[in-house]
Amino acid sequence: MNMTEHWLQQFQSLDKKNNPHSALDELRHGAFLRWEKAGFPSTRHERWKYTELMGLAETPFQLPTPSAVLSNTVLQTLLPAVIENSLRAVFVDGEFSTALSSKISNNHLHFGSLHDGFKMFPQEFESYLESIKTPIDSIDDLNTSFSRNGALIFVPPHVKLPQTIHLIYLYTRTPNQMAHMHNRVHLAEGAEATIIEHHIGHDDNIYFSTTVNHISLEQQAYLNYYRCQEQGINAYHINRLYLTQARASVTNLFCLDFKGHLVRNEIEQRFIGQDAECHLHGFYLGKGRQHVDNYITVDHQVPHCLSSQRFKSVLDDRSHSVFHGKVKVAKDAQKTDATQHNANLILSTQAQINTEPQLEIFADDVKCAHGAAIGQLDESALFYLQSRGLDKETAKQMLIYSFAAEIFLAISELEIRAFWQAHLNLYFSGIPLHEELITC
Amino acid sequence: MKGLWDKTKKVCIMLSIKNLHAKVEDKAILKGINLQINAGEVHAIMGPNGSGKSTLSNILAGRSGYEITDGTLTYLGENLFEMEPDERARRGIFLAFQYPIEIPGVNNMYMLKAAVNAKRKHEGLPEVDALDFLTIAKKRMRELKMDESFLSRDVNSGFSGGEKKRNEILQMLLLEPTLAILDETDSGLDIDALKIVADGINALRSPERAVVLVTHYQRLLDYVKPDFVHVLADGKIVRSGQADLALTLEQLGYAGVEKEAAE
């Protein structure tokens, strides 16, 4: 069977489970046809210049079969620590797991089948259909064709979600498996939420996942969003996040990448109302042959908005980091304040970085700054720590930690900051920096 | 104490610098330094900018980037050139930096506790636990009139110049070095801070330790009385004397003393 037949077979296996007459299925069929024709984007595609997906195109990925699901013991070892006052929604290979998730009694939330979800929120269905009609590229079509599950979070006006939503996506050990999720978040006027999107997988086999998130904030809504990836070392993951912000809304978004084989994170942000703020932060720790690509567009279509991008990476071995951050400022978007910074710490001569901070400005009264830095550990700082008696390796780890810490210190929610710092520590040669901070 | 006894003077030689020559990027900075420091002594090394004071301090602590072209450096009977900076520190050498480095994200107390424990481990002592360490640290901080908020702050991060210098002294008091080298610790301090820093240095003085004060001005020496004063000029010690030499320097200036030495 060639790859075209393979994909068709996968799509048809899914198709049988669905109602063939809905408007949605028509759109999904359209998306699949486009996907079939286009396949994975190549590096000739400007958006994919530094990220090669050939490895993906050659692998016959399969949708999971229920029998392939891992034992509970293995799943338990993959699950992260519980964050205080959080509601966890666990997906295993793309399917929602009631057994592993918190009991959900909040009627603004739905996890699992999108089909069931839109029965709960029929008013949101139109905007879902609308959003999948205009793909950026074939990745959107792939996700639309295959995603049947996800999280729906629709917060009504002036409601603050009382708990942190911890979305946990676990990936099993079955070889060549794939999973595709679609999440939607809508915060109505003055609504507030904290959401964690957390991807965790096993190291043993190759697998592939895509997640498309559509997030919209109405005026004065406030969102803290954490997207963290601890995929297996052979995992392919493509994550796309569409974010639309109305007047005076605020987003603080953190992209934390600790693992994965080939990871692509996209953020397509758009300001559609004045006085809004969007703060994007990212940290990537690269080892082995890992490749992480952050592709970001911040679009100031209206005046008086504030945006910041601050991304850092620490690269060891033959790891590769790509940062593409674009700020667009439309002709009428006067008084825009946009900053963009990408700093990289290189620990190995074999590591590679491509960084492209870009500004596209059509307004004349704006404040925009961008910059990129690539460097090694500061020799004088290393000497300072060594001169206090710390051996070179410990001193190095402290300095790398310090470099990374800036991103983590920007997390204003203290419990969540502690949770991620504890994560960061796991990746640092057993130096329990964070626990020590608590004791002292 | 392990070291070399000088039988004629009945003292323990802590540090012996002989004919030390050093270059930075082909530029000769130290041109034959000879100096012996014994346990219990406080030496002040004074000199104009560019005379090689900081280079000497850095070489003693083991900073890289200097090419040693001649001479020997012996600390407690052992060749210092064969030791990495961290080993020197664990064996009791401490350098208070002229410009302490900021390390955001790494807690000051955590770094210090790790440093103290690295030294204790080297000495075959059990590690000090967090609570005991905190008690000692708080006591020292009170002596240095440092606010308790320093406990939760990151290493020098966002500290003012004076706070950084005080933090260096705090580190010194907690690490209890055998040989403390203070590189222009007095610069940038107001008079109150200077007194506090001086008290910290005086608290460390003991028959088992030695202190090297590298300074530009005589000011600090009003509060920490040195046993010996050396004038460093153009990479050499041009004059050595007792505490009153610092006063002569104050009156004649470096140029005057150099001239006098030349005569």
Side-chain angles (χ1 to χ4, degrees):
Chain A
M1 194 180 354
N2 67 26
M3 290 305 283
T4 316
E5 287 162 1
H6 169 77
W7 282 106
L8 182 63
Q9 191 200 46
Q10 289 297 307
F11 184 66
Q12 283 169 343
S13 75
L14 196 63
D15 204 28
K16 283 178 195 145
K17 301 174 197 161
N18 289 279
N19 175 2
H21 301 296
S22 73
L24 175 58
D25 272 358
E26 217 176 288
L27 282 174
R28 280 175 175 160
H29 270 96
F32 183 73
L33 288 176
R34 283 195 301 272
W35 157 251
E36 224 182 2
K37 200 169 161 223
F40 285 101
S42 81
T43 49
R44 285 195 303 273
H45 196 307
E46 183 60 28
R47 287 178 69 91
W48 293 89
K49 203 159 62 171
Y50 301 110
T51 296
E52 172 66 77
L53 299 178
M54 284 319 286
L56 274 176
E58 287 158 6
T59 315
F61 290 105
Q62 309 245 353
L63 292 164
T65 50
S67 59
V69 167
L70 277 184
S71 74
N72 245 351
T73 345
V74 178
L75 287 173
Q76 290 296 342
T77 60
L78 284 177
L79 280 171
V82 175
I83 298 172
E84 212 175 299
N85 192 31
S86 72
L87 187 151
R88 41 166 71 192
V90 183
F91 293 78
V92 180
D93 293 321
E95 302 272 344
F96 182 66
S97 163
T98 319
L100 295 172
S101 302
S102 312
K103 197 172 169 292
I104 293 143
S105 54
N106 187 320
N107 56 8
H108 313 312
L109 313 169
H110 170 80
F111 305 110
S113 151
L114 294 175
H115 184 78
D116 296 347
F118 287 116
K119 278 188 202 155
M120 210 173 135
F121 305 105
Q123 73 285 7
E124 299 286 343
F125 189 59
E126 267 312 308
S127 92
Y128 171 53
L129 293 185
E130 209 47 49
S131 70
I132 60 179
K133 273 179 191 163
T134 47
I136 286 184
D137 58 25
S138 58
I139 297 299
D140 278 327
D141 285 328
L142 170 68
N143 184 273
T144 300
S145 310
F146 288 97
S147 58
R148 296 294 182 273
N149 292 290
L152 301 178
I153 300 169
F154 300 123
V155 189
H158 307 290
V159 169
K160 181 183 178 177
L161 282 187
Q163 289 166 298
T164 296
I165 308 292
H166 194 174
L167 303 171
I168 301 167
Y169 300 92
L170 303 180
Y171 301 94
T172 70
R173 277 193 292 192
T174 318
N176 297 345
Q177 195 160 287
M178 65 177 175
H180 304 279
M181 276 75 59
H182 185 102
N183 301 323
R184 300 187 77 81
V185 177
H186 179 79
L187 303 189
E189 183 178 343
E192 282 182 47
T194 295
I195 299 168
I196 299 172
E197 180 195 341
H198 199 169
H199 298 269
I200 305 166
H202 249 283
D203 288 338
D204 300 3
N205 285 302
I206 294 173
Y207 64 87
F208 170 45
S209 57
T210 68
T211 305
V212 171
N213 300 292
H214 283 268
I215 301 175
S216 53
L217 273 66
E218 284 187 31
Q219 55 179 316
Q220 289 172 306
Y222 195 103
L223 174 69
N224 285 322
Y225 197 92
Y226 305 87
R227 182 170 66 181
C228 173
Q229 174 277 115
E230 297 176 278
Q231 299 274 20
I233 54 170
N234 296 307
Y236 291 85
H237 180 66
I238 300 175
N239 195 306
R240 190 165 276 177
L241 191 147
Y242 292 96
L243 172 62
T244 311
Q245 293 188 245
R247 194 180 63 76
S249 62
V250 179
T251 306
N252 293 303
L253 197 151
F254 290 81
C255 294
L256 309 172
D257 287 277
F258 295 107
K259 282 178 76 190
H261 170 62
L262 186 149
V263 175
R264 162 84 158 199
N265 294 317
E266 296 184 15
I267 297 170
E268 290 290 330
Q269 190 275 2
R270 216 156 36 107
F271 287 115
I272 54 166
Q274 303 193 12
D275 302 311
E277 288 181 30
C278 178
H279 302 284
L280 307 175
H281 311 261
F283 175 71
Y284 161 41
L285 184 68
K287 286 181 180 165
R289 285 176 162 272
Q290 290 166 26
H291 174 109
V292 169
D293 177 354
N294 281 297
Y295 192 99
I296 296 152
T297 310
V298 170
D299 192 353
H300 287 259
Q301 296 191 337
V302 291
H304 292 284
C305 288
L306 175 69
S307 73
S308 69
Q309 296 172 40
R310 199 155 183 91
F311 280 71
K312 283 190 162 188
S313 73
V314 174
L315 301 179
D316 205 348
D317 306 324
R318 305 186 66 148
S319 57
H320 187 181
S321 164
V322 182
F323 174 79
H324 171 97
K326 184 184 273 183
V327 175
K328 288 178 171 173
V329 182
K331 193 162 162 281
D332 299 325
Q334 303 296 5
K335 303 288 178 192
T336 285
D337 186 342
T339 56
Q340 203 181 26
H341 189 68
N342 174 231
N344 303 280
L345 183 59
I346 291 210
L347 305 175
S348 140
T349 51
Q350 310 253 287
Q352 198 188 334
I353 288 166
N354 295 97
T355 175
E356 290 187 330
Q358 293 180 355
L359 296 173
E360 212 178 85
I361 304 171
F362 294 102
D364 54 14
D365 183 13
V366 300
K367 207 169 99 188
C368 291
H370 70 163
I374 299 171
Q376 290 165 323
L377 283 176
D378 178 8
E379 283 294 328
S380 38
L382 201 57
F383 172 59
Y384 186 67
L385 291 177
Q386 277 190 280
S387 78
R388 296 317 180 234
L390 301 172
D391 64 77
K392 200 168 187 173
E393 200 41 49
T394 307
K396 272 186 179 173
Q397 294 288 327
M398 265 191 199
L399 293 178
I400 299 167
Y401 186 88
S402 162
F403 176 81
E406 189 206 345
I407 299 295
F408 292 81
L409 292 175
I411 299 174
S412 59
E413 296 170 291
L414 295 181
E415 264 160 31
I416 293 174
R417 183 202 289 178
F419 176 77
W420 293 126
Q421 280 188 322
H423 261 73
L424 180 64
N425 291 340
L426 292 179
Y427 295 93
F428 276 83
S429 311
I431 298 182
L433 286 156
H434 176 68
E435 283 164 40
E436 291 289 342
L437 296 188
I438 295 173
T439 2
C440 269
Chain B
M1 178 186 291
K2 201 177 137 201
L4 294 178
W5 275 95
D6 185 327
K7 282 174 193 149
T8 49
K9 289 182 190 161
K10 291 190 177 163
V11 289
C12 172
I13 303 170
M14 185 172 290
L15 181 73
S16 167
I17 306 171
K18 284 186 180 151
N19 193 33
L20 184 64
H21 286 70
K23 287 201 299 195
V24 177
E25 289 165 359
D26 282 340
K27 189 174 183 288
I29 307 284
L30 300 184
K31 301 169 181 173
I33 303 265
N34 289 291
L35 184 63
Q36 182 180 319
I37 293 170
N38 303 316
E41 295 175 352
V42 173
H43 289 243
I45 297 179
M46 303 180 73
N49 288 329
S51 58
K53 300 191 303 287
S54 282
T55 300
L56 180 61
S57 315
N58 285 330
I59 287 174
L60 291 176
R63 186 175 200 146
S64 60
Y66 301 96
E67 190 192 339
I68 310 297
T69 49
D70 202 0
T72 59
L73 208 53
T74 315
Y75 170 68
L76 297 176
E78 293 195 62
N79 181 2
L80 213 46
F81 291 140
E82 285 174 1
M83 294 178 214
E84 288 293 313
D86 47 312
E87 192 185 344
R88 297 182 196 199
R90 290 192 293 270
R91 286 173 182 249
I93 295 181
F94 178 87
L95 171 66
F97 279 47
Q98 186 179 359
Y99 303 109
I101 312 286
E102 296 193 15
I103 308 178
V106 175
N107 175 272
N108 200 25
M109 285 301 126
Y110 170 65
M111 190 277 275
L112 271 171
K113 185 161 89 65
V116 166
N117 280 332
K119 190 163 178 255
R120 289 179 69 92
K121 201 176 158 194
H122 175 82
E123 290 163 353
L125 296 168
E127 293 200 352
V128 55
D129 73 40
L131 210 63
D132 289 344
F133 180 77
L134 204 61
T135 313
I136 308 163
K138 279 186 178 169
K139 182 172 170 283
R140 292 303 196 186
M141 284 170 68
R142 275 195 300 274
E143 290 167 10
L144 293 169
K145 297 195 167 52
M146 288 170 83
D147 194 89
E148 279 207 7
S149 67
F150 276 77
L151 289 170
S152 56
R153 288 170 74 175
D154 294 341
V155 183
N156 295 323
S157 179
F159 286 25
S160 71
E163 285 173 338
K164 284 181 185 170
K165 294 297 174 78
R166 250 186 269 193
N167 197 34
E168 293 291 283
I169 300 301
L170 173 68
Q171 296 184 12
M172 180 181 81
L173 293 177
L174 291 171
L175 287 165
E176 302 182 322
T178 308
L179 173 64
I181 305 150
L182 295 103
D183 188 6
E184 306 222 12
T185 300
D186 52 336
S187 65
L189 293 183
D190 61 36
I191 194 73
D192 293 332
L194 187 73
K195 280 182 191 165
I196 293 165
V197 163
D199 288 346
I201 300 167
N202 286 325
L204 193 80
R205 288 178 90 150
S206 85
E208 293 84 37
R209 302 182 207 283
V211 177
V212 178
L213 303 169
V214 175
T215 179
H216 196 85
Y217 303 104
Q218 190 264 342
R219 215 163 63 117
L220 176 65
L221 308 183
D222 288 342
Y223 303 98
V224 185
K225 195 171 175 290
D227 298 298
F228 300 98
V229 173
H230 311 279
V231 180
L232 191 66
D234 192 27
K236 278 184 189 170
I237 290 176
V238 293
R239 212 175 141 179
S240 293
Q242 295 188 331
D244 55 357
L245 175 58
L247 294 168
T248 316
L249 262 179
E250 187 92 326
Q251 285 157 13
L252 299 179
Y254 286 112
V257 170
E258 278 175 60
K259 198 175 149 209
E260 207 178 74
E263 286 160 6

